[in-house]
Amino acid sequence: MKYLIRSLKYLIYFVVIFFLCLALVVLFSRQHPTSLSELFKEGSLLPICLIFVGFALLYPAVGYRKAKLVLDGDWKDYRNAVMTTMEGAGYVLKSEDEKTMVFRHSRPLVRFTRMWEDAVTFQLQDDPTLVKVDGPSRDTLRLVSSIYYNYRMEHPQSEE
């Protein structure tokens, strides 16, 4: 269901951007068309619509990802590294329970450009050494590697 909602949101997003671009073309053209059909070749509107639908269906698969955070300690030890990393990345904690932490971006412009699909969720699994991280692809992998780095900086291990 989440995938379908994201697809519909991005379809609306792409259509709005298309019409904004179309308005700019009409505004700056020398000949002002009287109808939408004058802007396109006959029969080209259907392929354009299919391209938008295709991109809207494909984007959630590419734009969002689930990653794994493999713990070499206890979750309580990692929580501080998670909080530090997320605050540094501009995220704020929105909800938390025993198994789940949900972060949202603090900047409204970022939330708007991501169609309010900016949540990064940390979900503890049955395996105590595994945490699933779900969120935008551009952030998820970067955040997981930053959490590992911050954890290592907080818990240096002696070399023997």
Side-chain angles (χ1 to χ4, degrees):
M1 189 63 170
K2 185 187 277 189
Y3 190 90
L4 178 65
I5 291 170
R6 283 180 178 162
S7 292
L8 291 174
K9 282 183 177 182
Y10 278 101
L11 179 61
I12 293 168
Y13 186 68
F14 294 146
V15 167
V16 167
I17 289 173
F18 173 72
F19 279 113
L20 286 175
C21 291
L22 203 59
L24 288 173
V25 167
V26 169
L27 184 66
F28 291 112
S29 68
R30 292 179 186 244
Q31 298 175 344
H32 295 289
T34 56
S35 70
L36 190 64
S37 62
E38 289 180 24
L39 290 173
F40 301 101
K41 283 185 178 179
E42 189 174 328
S44 65
L45 212 50
L46 179 63
I48 290 172
C49 292
L50 291 175
I51 288 170
F52 282 138
V53 169
F55 274 117
L57 288 173
L58 182 66
Y59 188 78
V62 176
Y64 297 89
R65 158 181 318 237
K66 291 183 182 182
K68 294 177 185 174
L69 183 63
V70 181
L71 311 177
D72 64 349
D74 191 29
W75 170 247
K76 293 174 188 168
D77 297 335
Y78 274 86
R79 188 183 184 287
N80 189 36
V82 169
M83 294 300 291
T84 303
T85 302
M86 296 306 285
E87 287 171 4
Y91 282 86
V92 293
L93 183 64
K94 285 297 178 185
S95 67
E96 180 177 16
D97 60 26
E98 297 103 23
K99 293 217 168 232
T100 307
M101 292 175 75
V102 178
F103 291 87
R104 292 267 185 195
H105 210 283
S106 60
R107 292 179 30 207
L109 182 61
V110 172
R111 296 190 74 204
F112 172 72
T113 59
R114 295 181 183 176
M115 300 296 294
W116 290 271
E117 292 287 342
D118 62 324
V120 176
T121 306
F122 292 83
Q123 190 168 27
L124 292 152
Q125 302 300 303
D126 293 333
D127 180 1
T129 63
L130 185 64
V131 177
K132 279 197 178 175
V133 183
D134 184 18
S137 291
R138 64 184 78 142
D139 290 342
T140 304
L141 294 177
R142 179 179 51 89
L143 290 170
V144 167
S145 63
S146 295
I147 290 166
Y148 284 136
Y149 176 79
N150 287 335
Y151 179 78
R152 284 192 312 271
M153 291 297 114
E154 291 174 5
H155 300 87
Q157 295 185 3
S158 62
E159 296 180 24
E160 295 180 27

